[in-house]
Amino acid sequence: MSLSFYNTLTRNKEPFHEMKKGEVRIYTCGPTVYNYAHIGNWRSFIFSDLLRRYLKYKGYDVVHVMNLTDVDDKTIRDSKKEGISLKKFTERYTKYFFDDMDALNIERVEYYPKATESINEMIAITKRLLDKGIAYKTEDGIYYDVSKFNGYGKLSKIKFEGLKAGVRVKKDEYEKESANDFALWKAYDKADGDVFWETELGKGRPGWHIECSAMSMKFLGQSFDIHTGGIDLIFPHHENEIAQSEGYSEKPFVKYWLHAEHLLVNGEKMSKSKGNFFILKDVLGKGYSPKAVRYELMATHYRQKLNFTFEALDASENAIKRFREFLIKLKAVKGKEDNPKIDSMIKDAKDEFEAAMDDDLNISGGLAAVFNFMSEINKAEISRKDALKAFNLMMEFDKVLGILEFKDEKVPKEIMDLVKRRDQARKDKDWVLADKLRDAIKDNGYVVDDTAEGSFVKKN
Ligand code: AMP
Ligand code: ZN
């Protein structure tokens, strides 16, 4: 089977064909940097990471853009509340975002444009929309006239009766499923404080939706392969992105729209406004490992709702332990006799993994392939050489999953306990015990170096 994705635009699973041979261009709506991202946000970013990693595993060159929304209603509101500049305020949360992203082993994408650095592109789009009569000017800003865009509603499938002159909304976020004319450019309002640009459109600032049209087209061109985000962005944000971009370029904006379902708490969407959220620090502070958090947020198919519980996180912690123990076991295999079936076992596991992942990133199937492989190897008699092959396959799977090898991994507590016990044994001059503990540490994949400053432990 070939790679296919469920496309929100057509509400169908479709075979994936890249637009430019061998290359996939992706745009992911990034964070609004006005607070810590919660783990619901992280679920959607881990989904886009999985997508990116799998496309790379399949051999595509990936050009991936994730914007940083560093000017909008929320960033302005909260920086003012704190009495610091918008720049300082958003830089703080941008840094936290990258810290968490690294902790969760999310790969860095190619570009992280900031909205405040693409104002000229937003002005250019707005100007052309004005010239074409698709946008109009009022006292409080420039608005997109949704009745002028034929395809308005094609992503969200909302039927806008008649599409008469719409009601205007200036706010970035609105729920109402009606054809509102939305703000491309917001004329200066004193509530914006010192956040404004003096431009040919007048003094003011951009609306949120135009930011993503400008940044995606700037880095990926007027038509590109994949656009992702959480399902709450389908309307109005992505609907408006299409209207702006296609109104401007008269070309199809995006070929495949992929949307991730929400992370829930007690059946409700995790969200800042409801207050029912956890940030990553909260969860790690309870002693959970970032690997388990990544696993938990990744292991349910991205188009299914996922209810967050600490019991489920415990189970993910166990799954991670199984992986770790399996790798440790492989490293310790000493057998000399090669198993004639090893190559076919590896091929079958790879085929099963790819068949599942090709099917709209069916992660449960993908993980089942990995677990089956582990239990088969556990049952088989294998040689040192076979073990190495199995280990390499696990590392290949991990290029997609990102749960085995973390970049700046801390030494696990169990290992540190062994190191401390060994230090004590050395102090007590109990060399036999000290050597035994050194071996135990080594069997777990770590080595200790004894130096004048004390003993240091690192990965073997
Ligand atoms: P924001 O920083 O609010 O713009 O959101 C960043 C991303 O997180 C967007 O793609 C949202 O759709 C997504 N998101 C927000 N809440 C959740 C949730 N509870 N579960 C999954 N994704 C979410
Ligand atoms: Zn966006």
Side-chain angles (χ1 to χ4, degrees):
M1 209 175 81
S2 60
L3 183 59
S4 63
F5 294 123
Y6 181 86
N7 188 353
T8 310
L9 191 61
T10 57
R11 300 292 196 270
N12 267 321
K13 214 184 268 179
E14 295 173 4
F16 176 74
H17 298 295
E18 75 275 29
M19 296 167 75
K20 219 192 223 173
K21 184 108 192 76
E23 185 184 278
V24 183
R25 285 167 293 155
I26 313 175
Y27 186 86
T28 294
C29 282
T32 306
V33 279
Y34 76 113
N35 210 320
Y36 285 98
H38 59 63
I39 57 171
N41 301 132
W42 286 118
R43 183 185 188 204
S44 73
F45 296 132
I46 286 172
F47 149 67
S48 65
D49 187 49
L50 185 70
L51 169 69
R52 161 195 178 77
R53 283 168 175 265
Y54 190 59
L55 287 166
K56 282 173 63 180
Y57 170 96
K58 297 278 286 181
Y60 292 104
D61 287 330
V62 171
V63 185
H64 194 169
V65 178
M66 182 188 285
N67 72 293
L68 301 163
T69 302
D70 64 346
V71 57
D72 79 321
D73 294 351
K74 293 188 284 194
T75 46
I76 293 176
R77 179 195 66 198
D78 290 358
S79 61
K80 274 193 77 186
K81 224 185 264 170
E82 241 188 71
I84 60 171
S85 72
L86 181 69
K87 189 165 173 356
K88 237 178 155 176
F89 179 80
T90 53
E91 275 175 356
R92 180 204 298 158
Y93 291 108
T94 301
K95 182 186 176 304
Y96 295 158
F97 180 75
F98 281 101
D99 288 349
D100 283 4
M101 190 167 78
D102 290 345
L104 289 168
N105 205 25
I106 293 175
E107 276 188 4
R108 296 276 171 124
V109 303
E110 283 62 35
Y111 301 100
Y112 291 98
K114 291 179 176 165
T116 51
E117 290 170 2
S118 294
I119 301 291
N120 286 340
E121 287 77 5
M122 299 171 204
I123 292 169
I125 298 171
T126 307
K127 265 182 63 186
R128 191 185 292 178
L129 292 173
L130 273 173
D131 289 346
K132 290 171 97 171
I134 300 175
Y136 59 92
K137 207 165 181 167
T138 71
E139 222 161 58
D140 70 348
I142 298 170
Y143 287 84
Y144 191 103
D145 180 349
V146 296
S147 71
K148 296 276 168 59
F149 184 67
N150 256 336
Y152 201 71
K154 68 180 171 184
L155 184 70
S156 56
K157 312 292 177 211
I158 299 170
K159 296 254 180 299
F160 297 107
E161 298 299 320
L163 272 187
K164 284 202 206 74
V167 184
R168 282 197 294 275
V169 266
K170 195 174 179 188
K171 280 195 308 208
D172 286 334
E173 289 181 56
Y174 51 95
E175 301 269 336
K176 275 181 75 185
E177 296 193 344
S178 57
N180 294 309
D181 289 353
F182 58 92
L184 297 165
W185 186 258
K186 305 185 184 195
Y188 182 69
D189 177 313
K190 63 180 183 320
D192 291 346
D194 59 0
V195 181
F196 61 84
W197 283 262
E198 292 277 10
T199 75
E200 48 197 302
L201 302 176
K203 177 177 173 179
R205 62 170 172 108
W208 169 43
H209 312 293
I210 192 77
E211 296 182 0
C212 282
S213 284
M215 288 183 274
S216 56
M217 291 196 286
K218 179 175 175 178
F219 288 88
L220 300 174
Q222 294 179 349
S223 293
F224 57 92
D225 301 283
I226 302 178
H227 194 312
T228 80
I231 51 159
D232 54 317
L233 297 186
I234 296 174
F235 187 86
H237 187 52
H238 290 162
E239 195 73 66
N240 292 353
E241 271 188 51
I242 294 176
Q244 293 163 155
S245 307
E246 297 190 356
Y248 168 82
S249 72
E250 293 175 20
K251 295 195 182 98
F253 177 42
V254 170
K255 202 164 163 194
Y256 303 90
W257 285 89
L258 271 57
H259 289 99
E261 253 293 356
H262 285 143
L263 184 67
L264 312 179
V265 184
N266 297 325
E268 272 197 275
K269 178 190 169 192
M270 180 178 286
S271 74
K272 291 209 183 89
S273 56
K274 289 203 189 91
N276 60 350
F277 65 92
F278 294 99
I279 62 172
L280 183 63
K281 266 207 317 199
D282 298 335
V283 179
L284 301 186
K286 289 181 193 285
Y288 290 95
S289 69
K291 283 183 179 178
V293 178
R294 180 180 171 95
Y295 185 89
E296 176 60 20
L297 297 176
M298 183 182 70
T300 296
H301 190 261
Y302 75 94
R303 284 194 294 113
Q304 275 172 22
K305 291 183 171 63
L306 170 64
N307 200 40
F308 177 75
T309 64
F310 284 100
E311 291 73 38
L313 204 49
D314 288 332
S316 288
E317 204 71 75
N318 271 329
I320 293 293
K321 199 164 150 226
R322 274 181 68 190
F323 286 118
R324 188 168 66 229
E325 285 171 356
F326 180 68
L327 295 186
I328 290 169
K329 202 174 144 189
L330 286 181
K331 281 192 180 170
V333 170
K334 301 262 177 346
K336 292 216 161 38
E337 194 141 332
D338 295 340
N339 186 320
K341 289 206 186 119
I342 188 78
D343 291 336
S344 66
M345 281 159 84
I346 286 176
K347 186 181 178 303
D348 290 351
K350 228 172 122 78
D351 287 350
E352 199 184 324
F353 178 78
E354 288 172 19
M357 294 298 285
D358 275 353
D359 180 14
D360 193 29
L361 302 180
N362 173 4
I363 186 71
S364 343
L367 287 168
V370 182
F371 280 114
N372 284 344
F373 178 67
M374 295 200 301
S375 67
E376 277 199 32
I377 292 287
N378 276 332
K379 281 185 284 187
E381 294 280 339
I382 59 168
S383 68
R384 175 97 205 97
K385 209 168 105 199
D386 299 336
L388 189 66
K389 285 184 183 172
F391 189 89
N392 288 342
L393 178 66
M394 293 298 285
M395 290 301 124
E396 223 178 307
F397 287 149
D398 200 47
K399 284 188 189 147
V400 180
L401 305 173
I403 45 170
L404 301 179
E405 295 283 332
F406 270 35
K407 255 187 292 166
D408 305 313
E409 199 175 348
K410 284 210 189 87
V411 179
K413 193 177 166 299
E414 310 95 277
I415 307 289
M416 283 317 294
D417 287 344
L418 292 174
V419 174
K420 278 187 206 143
R421 279 174 56 201
R422 180 171 171 275
D423 284 347
Q424 189 56 47
R426 280 164 55 84
K427 261 191 214 151
D428 298 339
K429 302 205 185 317
D430 185 349
W431 308 116
V432 177
L433 178 60
D435 279 351
K436 262 197 190 152
L437 288 164
R438 173 191 283 278
D439 288 344
I441 293 164
K442 200 167 167 213
D443 287 344
N444 281 284
Y446 287 81
V447 280
V448 262
D449 262 342
D450 298 307
T451 70
E453 283 79 35
S455 49
F456 286 95
V457 62
K458 60 172 192 283
K459 267 201 147 169
N460 198 354

